[in-house]
Structure formats: C-alpha cells, structure tokens
Amino acid sequence: MLREFHCIQDCSDCCINRQYYPSVDYGKIGVLLLPEEKKEMENQAESYKLKVSIYPRVGIGMNKKSDGPRQVIAYQLMGSNINGDYCPLLDIRSNNRSPHGGFNCLIYNERPLSCRAYPVIKENNTHAKLDCNCKFSCQYSNQVNKNLLESEFSALTRIKNNFEWFEDQTIWRYATHVGEKRFIKFLLPRGWYLQK
Ligand code: SF4
Ligand code: SF4
C-alpha cells in the first residue's frame, strides 16, 4: 500500500541543501525561478532587506554576438552560504517554526512554483513520485499516494507547461561555480555552456 506523504518532523532540508546539477563541474544550483518570478523574488528579498544572488539557469537558442543563449527560460535563486546551501528566504534566525517544526519560509504564501511543487517530480494515475533528495523519500519511499498533493501537482504542471515548447531547441546551462571547497578545482568557470 502506498504511503501518504508528510514532511518529516523538524526537517528543512529542501530549503537548505542544494545539489550539484547536472554534474559537479556545473556547481550547485539554486531554487528554480521562472522568468516571470525573478522580479517578484527580487522585490520580496528587498522588502526583507536581504541581499540575494539570482543567476540564469537554462537558456535556449543561439545569440552569436554574446556566444550564449538567445533567451533565458529559467533563473535560480542562489543559496546564501559560500558552499551554495541555505535559501536566503529561510528564516533561520527567529524562533518561528512551520507546523512540522522546520524553519519558516519568510515568503511562504508567495514562494516560487518550484517550492510549491516540491517534493513531487512526477505523477501517474495511482501515485506521485518524489525527489530522491527529500527526507521523506530517503526514509520511507519515493512513491506515495496522490492524496492531498493537489497544490504540488498544480505547481508542477505550471512549471512543465512553461518548458514544453522548447524541447527541440538548442539548450544552454549556466555553470554557477559554487560548491564545497573540496570541489572547487573541478568547477567550470561561471557562465553558459552549450548542451546540444
Ligand atoms: S519536503 Fe522533504 S526535504 Fe522538504 S521539509 Fe518536507 S520532508 Fe524535508
Ligand atoms: S523560497 Fe521559501 S520554500 Fe523556497 S527554498 Fe526558499 S525558504 Fe524554502
């Protein structure tokens, strides 16, 4: 029988830990932002007097003049730690906690779609598939009952709809050059790299 998803008590892992993607040389990624979310995120950070770094993440097409993409289709909100971890909008200073005991998101009601979708990465008729880095997924199962995950699915669908139309285009990824000290020598210089 499929389990019901719930956040693990006191966990904030998905707002803290950032992954190297698509491989270590590209550095750690930040929180995915759609282009229309970038300005909103900058405004939100400013209203909390937070300094944030938002890098491009994925681009498409060829811009011969700049040797980069013609269009940026995704950005990323970088972590505030030097190693790339800790979303800057995570409230780690106050004593406020979320209902399951994790740190609070300062902009919970306005958080990006990628945060609203997480940890769901796929769905089918019977179950939802979770990201393997989610603590629930690590401890119990990455296949869960679809019940109570409507808002996650809705956010995931909106993200997917945004990316579907560029499937046959030239794709660029942005290397962040951010990561743990021990990996620094493997990291590509920050900038765009052609994928296909
Ligand atoms: S979604 Fe997963 S990683 Fe994030 S707080 Fe919940 S259990 Fe932890
Ligand atoms: S914006 Fe909020 S929900 Fe998203 S990673 Fe940052 S703290 Fe977590």
Side-chain angles (χ1 to χ4, degrees):
M1 202 177 80
L2 290 169
R3 281 180 174 271
E4 299 276 342
F5 170 75
H6 61 83
C7 275
I8 300 291
Q9 185 65 32
D10 299 340
C11 181
S12 305
D13 284 9
C14 52
C15 302
I16 294 175
N17 302 324
R18 293 286 156 254
Q19 312 302 318
Y20 291 94
Y21 187 85
S23 50
V24 168
D25 45 341
Y26 278 79
K28 281 195 187 175
I29 50 171
V31 175
L32 178 89
L33 301 176
L34 298 185
E36 61 266 32
E37 294 179 306
K38 180 175 179 277
K39 186 72 195 148
E40 171 65 15
M41 192 54 58
E42 286 164 348
N43 292 343
Q44 293 279 4
E46 202 180 319
S47 70
Y48 284 97
K49 300 195 180 344
L50 293 168
K51 220 177 147 212
V52 297
S53 297
I54 298 178
Y55 293 166
R57 176 146 157 188
V58 183
I60 54 165
M62 295 294 286
N63 180 343
K64 291 192 179 112
K65 279 188 198 153
S66 67
D67 195 21
R70 197 179 58 242
Q71 187 183 348
V72 178
I73 57 163
Y75 289 85
Q76 50 191 333
L77 170 67
M78 299 307 293
S80 53
N81 262 23
I82 198 153
N83 72 357
D85 287 345
Y86 282 91
C87 174
L89 277 313
L90 187 65
D91 179 11
I92 51 173
R93 290 186 181 81
S94 80
N95 291 324
N96 297 333
R97 293 293 180 270
S98 68
H100 74 274
F103 292 120
N104 260 347
C105 170
L106 288 170
I107 56 159
Y108 188 77
N109 291 328
E110 318 297 332
R111 68 199 188 286
L113 283 172
S114 60
C115 304
R116 292 172 190 271
Y118 198 84
V120 174
I121 53 169
K122 235 181 198 177
E123 66 165 321
N124 71 18
N125 289 338
T126 56
H127 65 269
K129 187 161 189 237
L130 305 184
D131 180 39
C132 60
N133 297 303
C134 164
K135 202 165 184 176
F136 179 95
S137 191
C138 302
Q139 285 193 10
Y140 298 112
S141 165
N142 69 349
Q143 313 261 1
V144 296
N145 199 314
K146 286 176 72 173
N147 290 348
L148 307 174
L149 292 170
E150 290 82 7
S151 63
E152 284 81 354
F153 291 137
S154 150
L156 189 64
T157 303
R158 285 175 64 191
I159 294 170
K160 280 187 173 163
N161 288 346
N162 199 75
F163 292 135
E164 252 170 13
W165 59 272
F166 71 81
E167 267 168 10
D168 296 329
Q169 307 240 8
T170 306
I171 294 180
W172 298 75
R173 281 191 188 279
Y174 194 83
T176 61
H177 197 76
V178 169
E180 267 88 20
K181 227 176 181 176
R182 67 184 191 279
F183 290 134
I184 292 293
K185 62 175 181 248
F186 303 117
L187 301 180
L188 290 164
R190 184 171 300 154
W192 286 112
Y193 292 85
L194 199 54
Q195 298 295 287
K196 66 173 186 179

